[in-house]
Short mmCIF file of all heavy atoms in Angstrom, two decimals:
data_model
loop_
_atom_site.label_atom_id
_atom_site.label_comp_id
_atom_site.label_asym_id
_atom_site.label_seq_id
_atom_site.Cartn_x
_atom_site.Cartn_y
_atom_site.Cartn_z
N ARG F 14 97.70 99.51 86.27
CA ARG F 14 96.73 99.70 87.36
C ARG F 14 96.11 98.35 87.72
O ARG F 14 94.91 98.11 87.53
CB ARG F 14 95.67 100.72 86.96
CG ARG F 14 96.18 102.14 86.90
CD ARG F 14 95.06 103.14 86.65
NE ARG F 14 95.53 104.52 86.72
CZ ARG F 14 95.60 105.25 87.84
NH1 ARG F 14 95.23 104.70 88.99
NH2 ARG F 14 96.05 106.48 87.81
N ARG F 22 90.68 88.29 99.68
CA ARG F 22 90.49 87.72 101.03
C ARG F 22 89.97 88.75 102.01
O ARG F 22 89.21 88.42 102.93
CB ARG F 22 91.79 87.09 101.53
CG ARG F 22 92.90 88.05 101.86
CD ARG F 22 94.10 87.32 102.47
NE ARG F 22 95.15 88.23 102.89
CZ ARG F 22 96.16 88.62 102.13
NH1 ARG F 22 96.26 88.17 100.88
NH2 ARG F 22 97.08 89.45 102.60
N THR F 59 95.29 92.68 144.93
CA THR F 59 94.80 91.80 143.87
C THR F 59 94.02 90.60 144.43
O THR F 59 93.62 89.72 143.67
CB THR F 59 95.99 91.26 143.04
OG1 THR F 59 96.84 90.47 143.90
CG2 THR F 59 96.81 92.41 142.45
N ARG F 144 101.58 119.56 132.49
CA ARG F 144 100.93 119.29 131.19
C ARG F 144 101.49 120.15 130.08
O ARG F 144 101.33 119.83 128.91
CB ARG F 144 99.42 119.56 131.29
CG ARG F 144 98.69 118.73 132.32
CD ARG F 144 97.21 119.07 132.32
NE ARG F 144 96.99 120.51 132.50
CZ ARG F 144 96.32 121.28 131.64
NH1 ARG F 144 95.79 120.77 130.55
NH2 ARG F 144 96.17 122.57 131.89
N THR F 210 95.01 106.80 113.89
CA THR F 210 94.18 105.81 114.56
C THR F 210 93.97 104.64 113.62
O THR F 210 93.06 104.65 112.79
CB THR F 210 92.82 106.42 114.95
OG1 THR F 210 93.04 107.63 115.67
CG2 THR F 210 92.01 105.47 115.80
N VAL F 257 106.27 86.84 114.60
CA VAL F 257 105.50 86.78 113.36
C VAL F 257 104.52 87.95 113.35
O VAL F 257 103.71 88.09 114.28
CB VAL F 257 104.73 85.45 113.24
CG1 VAL F 257 103.97 85.41 111.91
CG2 VAL F 257 105.66 84.26 113.39
N ALA F 270 105.21 100.74 115.03
CA ALA F 270 106.67 100.67 114.86
C ALA F 270 107.45 100.63 116.17
O ALA F 270 108.53 100.04 116.20
CB ALA F 270 107.14 101.85 114.02
N GLN F 489 119.23 101.38 114.38
CA GLN F 489 118.84 100.28 113.50
C GLN F 489 119.44 100.51 112.12
O GLN F 489 119.63 101.65 111.71
CB GLN F 489 117.30 100.22 113.35
CG GLN F 489 116.49 100.53 114.58
CD GLN F 489 116.57 99.47 115.65
OE1 GLN F 489 117.14 98.42 115.43
NE2 GLN F 489 116.05 99.74 116.82
N VAL F 539 104.07 86.42 97.94
CA VAL F 539 104.89 87.28 98.80
C VAL F 539 104.62 86.94 100.26
O VAL F 539 103.47 86.94 100.71
CB VAL F 539 104.62 88.77 98.53
CG1 VAL F 539 105.49 89.64 99.41
CG2 VAL F 539 104.85 89.09 97.05
N ASP F 543 107.89 87.39 109.05
CA ASP F 543 108.12 86.24 109.91
C ASP F 543 109.63 86.09 110.10
O ASP F 543 110.35 85.77 109.16
CB ASP F 543 107.53 84.98 109.26
CG ASP F 543 107.67 83.73 110.15
OD1 ASP F 543 108.49 83.73 111.08
OD2 ASP F 543 106.95 82.76 109.88
N VAL F 566 114.44 93.27 96.03
CA VAL F 566 113.78 92.26 95.20
C VAL F 566 114.33 92.30 93.78
O VAL F 566 114.64 91.26 93.18
CB VAL F 566 112.25 92.50 95.19
CG1 VAL F 566 111.57 91.61 94.15
CG2 VAL F 566 111.65 92.25 96.57
N ILE F 620 116.62 73.60 85.71
CA ILE F 620 117.71 73.98 86.61
C ILE F 620 117.50 73.42 88.01
O ILE F 620 118.45 72.98 88.67
CB ILE F 620 117.84 75.51 86.64
CG1 ILE F 620 118.25 76.04 85.27
CG2 ILE F 620 118.85 75.95 87.70
CD1 ILE F 620 118.20 77.55 85.15
N GLU F 636 117.57 80.34 94.02
CA GLU F 636 117.18 81.14 95.18
C GLU F 636 118.31 82.12 95.46
O GLU F 636 119.48 81.77 95.38
CB GLU F 636 116.94 80.25 96.40
CG GLU F 636 116.59 81.03 97.66
CD GLU F 636 116.20 80.13 98.82
OE1 GLU F 636 115.70 79.00 98.58
OE2 GLU F 636 116.38 80.57 99.98
N GLU F 705 91.87 115.89 118.02
CA GLU F 705 92.73 116.46 119.06
C GLU F 705 92.62 115.62 120.31
O GLU F 705 91.52 115.34 120.80
CB GLU F 705 92.36 117.91 119.39
CG GLU F 705 93.30 118.52 120.42
CD GLU F 705 93.03 119.98 120.70
OE1 GLU F 705 92.01 120.51 120.20
OE2 GLU F 705 93.83 120.61 121.42
N VAL F 777 89.35 135.60 110.41
CA VAL F 777 88.02 135.00 110.41
C VAL F 777 87.10 135.75 111.35
O VAL F 777 85.97 136.11 111.00
CB VAL F 777 88.10 133.51 110.81
CG1 VAL F 777 86.71 132.91 110.92
CG2 VAL F 777 88.94 132.72 109.81
#
Side-chain angles (χ1 to χ4, degrees):
R14 288 187 175 272
R22 69 175 184 269
T59 63
R144 300 181 306 122
T210 308
V257 182
Q489 322 290 352
V539 181
D543 183 341
V566 171
I620 295 171
E636 178 174 333
E705 182 176 8
V777 175

